[in-house]
Amino acid sequence: MARILTGIQSSGRPHLGNIMGAILPTVELSLAPSHEAFIFIADLHSLTSSRDAAQRLESVRAVAASWLAFGIDTNRSVFYRQSQIPEVCELTWYLSCFAPYPMLANAHSFKDKSDNLALVNAGLFTYPILMAADILLYDAELVPVGKDQKQHLEITKDIGAAINLHYKQPLFVLPEPRISEKTPLVPGTDGRKMSKSYQNTVDIFLPKNQLKKQVMSIVTDSTPLEEPKNPETCHVFNLFELVASTADTQTLREKYLGGNFGYGHAKTALLDVLVDKYAEQNQLFNSYMNDTAALDAALKKGEEKARTIARTKLARVREIMGF
Ligand code: ADP
Ligand code: TRP
């Protein structure tokens, strides 16, 4: 039985990148009989970038509703909020004393923001250690994430291995990332990685008229309508290919190459496939968002199991480190 674990920060509504890069691959793995899944909402991590309490609680609901809409089974998977298992904070301290400064200074999560150091809080700097604690606390073996998290997994392994080596025993399981081959980095409406921080997201939980606005804002080049177009370099086509069937993708490719087919037509095709494909999840998401009691109950279910495992592991860490 392999233990898989992943988390998503409560920093807004999950977008198509989160869904294709993390939620869908995790749900698929979690339903395999040979896997046991730990799925949590990284609300402590979200404090590194957002201090608004009401916004955080709303985001926790949105992330929880997304997981449920995409079909995690809360009877089988351990589903919880990171902050409800505060043992993770204590473990973060122990791990931080084994994390060399240069390793943290080299982390993208810090480096990307380090051009204005006055805006970097210590939580942002030590972000990867809290993530390592999330993983090592539960002996996770496989961590399904998008490609952008690969470095954080390397940091996790380095810290875990350093402690195992120091105390000469296999205290921590060293996890492997599981990066979806098809969707390592879903492009956003401007062609960069789709990310909440770039405001280039596609939100499939919106009503069609609002989703349309996002799809229509996808950046394209100025090739005239009559001319053939290169599908491979077009962000609209790249997104279409990720969500549509092979046959529909081939038909669209031929239209691009044939000319007399504008980007507006391609965007309409993308909008239609998004609405069609995620109609059920859109409806489920919105009904969960209106049912706080159901969301709370779903999140409560996993807490006890998570807490029991966390306490046992932490007791072992304390003993080995001499506390
Ligand atoms: P964001 O960059 O929007 O803040 P998060 O950091 O909360 O997203 O990411 C949550 C999960 O979704 C992580 O596993 C991350 O790797 C994955 N993910 C985020 N953006 C993308 C993307 N554009 N393509 C693929 N996976 C992504
Ligand atoms: N850092 C991850 C992100 O921004 C979220 C996260 C926190 C996570 N703890 C984790 C992902 C543990 C996997 C495992 O996407």
Side-chain angles (χ1 to χ4, degrees):
M1 181 84 100
R3 182 169 290 175
I4 66 170
L5 173 146
T6 202
I8 292 187
Q9 286 193 68
S10 48
S11 51
R13 268 157 73 135
H15 51 71
L16 193 60
N18 302 141
I19 289 163
M20 303 205 83
I23 296 184
L24 281 169
T26 304
V27 170
E28 197 183 325
L29 284 173
S30 76
L31 297 175
S34 55
H35 288 146
E36 177 190 25
F38 283 59
I39 296 171
F40 67 95
I41 300 171
D43 51 352
L44 293 171
H45 274 109
S46 72
L47 186 60
T48 59
S49 56
S50 162
R51 292 173 177 174
D52 186 316
Q55 220 175 53
R56 183 173 355 275
L57 289 169
E58 183 64 11
S59 295
V60 166
R61 283 154 38 82
V63 177
S66 305
W67 281 112
L68 294 168
F70 276 92
I72 59 161
D73 177 353
T74 54
N75 291 318
R76 285 200 48 210
S77 297
V78 182
F79 188 45
Y80 59 100
R81 273 170 76 174
Q82 182 190 35
S83 60
Q84 301 311 295
I85 319 294
E87 283 76 3
V88 77
C89 297
E90 186 177 333
L91 181 61
T92 298
W93 174 253
Y94 302 142
L95 302 186
S96 65
C97 297
F98 286 81
Y101 174 87
M103 181 171 83
L104 294 178
N106 197 34
H108 301 305
S109 46
F110 161 71
K111 249 173 134 175
D112 293 352
K113 294 172 182 141
S114 61
D115 48 353
N116 192 349
L117 282 176
L119 295 181
V120 175
N121 59 66
L124 189 69
F125 188 66
T126 57
Y127 182 108
I129 311 182
L130 177 56
M131 178 156 162
D134 287 328
I135 300 168
L136 298 177
L137 187 57
Y138 299 99
D139 288 333
E141 297 163 78
L142 273 185
V143 182
V145 280
K147 196 172 154 200
D148 59 318
Q149 297 298 311
K150 193 164 175 256
Q151 191 193 31
H152 287 153
L153 264 294
E154 281 157 13
I155 294 176
T156 303
K157 281 209 289 197
D158 283 353
I159 299 177
I163 296 175
N164 287 351
L165 187 69
H166 186 85
Y167 293 101
K168 298 188 180 58
Q169 53 188 300
L171 176 58
F172 293 120
V173 170
L174 305 182
E176 285 301 328
R178 174 66 74 91
I179 296 165
S180 156
E181 273 169 33
K182 195 176 162 219
T183 53
L185 268 191
V186 177
T189 53
D190 58 0
R192 292 188 289 172
K193 176 203 131 154
M194 187 179 293
S195 172
K196 276 158 258 165
S197 27
Y198 298 151
Q199 288 161 352
N200 63 353
T201 58
V202 170
D203 178 353
I204 59 151
F205 300 127
L206 285 173
K208 186 172 179 180
N209 59 343
Q210 290 175 41
L211 178 59
K212 184 174 176 185
K213 275 195 194 142
Q214 291 184 339
V215 171
M216 293 301 157
S217 75
I218 298 175
V219 176
T220 51
D221 65 25
S222 53
T223 315
L225 180 104
E226 349 30 275
E227 280 183 29
K229 298 178 176 61
N230 182 354
E232 309 310 329
T233 55
C234 174
H235 310 321
V236 183
F237 185 83
N238 295 150
L239 280 171
F240 188 88
E241 194 172 21
L242 288 177
V243 282
S245 67
T246 316
D248 289 349
T249 303
Q250 187 52 24
T251 308
L252 190 70
R253 180 178 280 113
E254 282 158 17
K255 288 184 176 165
Y256 267 70
L257 297 174
N260 278 322
F261 182 76
Y263 290 122
H265 300 123
K267 288 176 179 178
T268 305
L270 174 60
L271 176 67
D272 288 344
V273 72
L274 286 171
V275 169
D276 232 40
K277 181 158 180 163
Y278 297 119
E280 187 190 341
Q281 285 84 1
N282 178 306
Q283 190 258 325
L284 278 170
F285 173 88
N286 285 295
S287 68
Y288 277 118
M289 286 303 277
N290 290 318
D291 191 349
T292 307
L295 286 180
D296 287 348
L299 283 167
K300 241 333 349 82
K301 249 194 228 168
E303 258 175 40
E304 201 154 332
K305 179 155 188 205
R307 194 171 291 123
T308 306
I309 295 175
R311 286 191 176 153
T312 308
K313 187 81 192 178
L314 199 56
R316 183 89 189 108
V317 176
R318 285 187 191 141
E319 185 191 331
I320 285 175
M321 292 190 178
F323 294 102

